[in-house]
Amino acid sequence: MDRTGLVERARGGDRHAFAELIRASGARLDATARLILRDPDLAQDAVQETLIRAWRSLPGLRDPGTFDHWLHSLVAHACIDLVRKRRRRVVEVELSPIHFTESLDHAGEVADRDLLDRALARLEPEARAVVVLHFYLDLPLPRVARMLGIPDGTAKSRLHRSLGILRSSMTIDEVTAPGAAGGHVS
């Protein structure tokens, strides 16, 4: 059965159709939540909350063709809501395993990933959500704004400000990292 048919059946209360839809989207939801929250446990909570919200709200989804975008909007909002509730909680970052091919420079890949991880951690969750939805999910900025319920201008300014923070923090980290040119002591 096609995706639209599954959405229609799920809207009508078919739990098996809903489970099939989620099975197809689950890994991407989890990855999105992890990128926004920077905490695997909180990401699981956000995905769980997303699934509950999706099941309850699914009958109100007007266009079955927008199911995936609607689902990612729900996960972004669930992430932001969780962060607002737990502002003072210390966040521990766990890097997902990276699968390398034999021909890649392993140390360089790990270092690049760590540099990006540390830079993303410096962003507020609301700004990180814009970056993740725009770059990781490859969504156009106006769609990201609609998904997050913010004006287009706000999404643009958050993205612009976030990219500036990412650039400067990655540059600073590259210069101050142990072993960087001029950054180590002989």
Side-chain angles (χ1 to χ4, degrees):
M1 174 170 278
D2 71 337
R3 197 135 172 92
T4 304
L6 283 173
V7 173
E8 287 294 340
R9 285 183 32 215
R11 285 175 58 194
D14 184 337
R15 293 174 188 227
H16 296 293
F18 183 72
E20 185 66 31
L21 289 166
I22 297 308
R23 209 175 348 270
S25 302
R28 194 126 171 155
L29 288 176
D30 183 61
T32 301
R34 282 175 180 250
L35 284 168
I36 293 171
L37 292 169
R38 317 299 306 146
D39 180 324
D41 295 327
L42 279 180
Q44 286 180 348
D45 292 346
V47 170
Q48 185 67 32
E49 180 62 29
T50 298
L51 299 180
I52 292 168
R53 288 179 187 179
W55 177 251
R56 290 179 180 162
S57 303
L58 191 55
L61 179 64
R62 287 180 267 179
D63 181 5
T66 63
F67 178 79
D68 288 324
H69 291 291
W70 174 73
L71 201 56
H72 283 100
S73 174
L74 290 177
V75 79
H77 283 287
C79 291
I80 291 168
D81 290 346
L82 273 174
V83 168
R84 286 181 180 150
K85 289 178 187 173
R86 299 174 183 222
R87 281 275 181 200
R88 297 183 186 266
R89 182 172 180 222
V90 175
V91 176
E92 296 178 21
V93 176
E94 176 186 314
L95 294 176
S96 303
I98 302 172
H99 303 286
F100 296 104
T101 61
E102 293 295 320
S103 63
L104 292 177
D105 172 15
H106 300 304
E109 290 286 325
V110 171
D112 289 346
R113 172 119 184 202
D114 180 57
L115 185 62
L116 180 59
D117 247 11
R118 284 187 280 131
L120 281 170
R122 291 188 173 120
L123 297 177
E124 290 294 319
E126 293 86 353
R128 210 166 31 239
V130 172
V131 171
V132 169
L133 292 172
H134 182 64
F135 289 108
Y136 177 71
L137 294 177
D138 199 29
L139 298 173
L141 209 48
R143 183 149 196 113
V144 170
R146 284 193 308 275
M147 288 173 74
L148 296 175
I150 58 176
D152 287 358
T154 302
K156 286 178 185 178
S157 67
R158 282 185 187 171
L159 183 64
H160 178 74
R161 198 173 20 241
S162 297
L163 291 176
I165 291 169
L166 290 173
R167 281 185 198 103
S168 67
S169 64
M170 289 178 78
T171 302
I172 289 168
D173 285 347
E174 285 176 342
V175 170
T176 60
H184 73 299
V185 178
S186 301

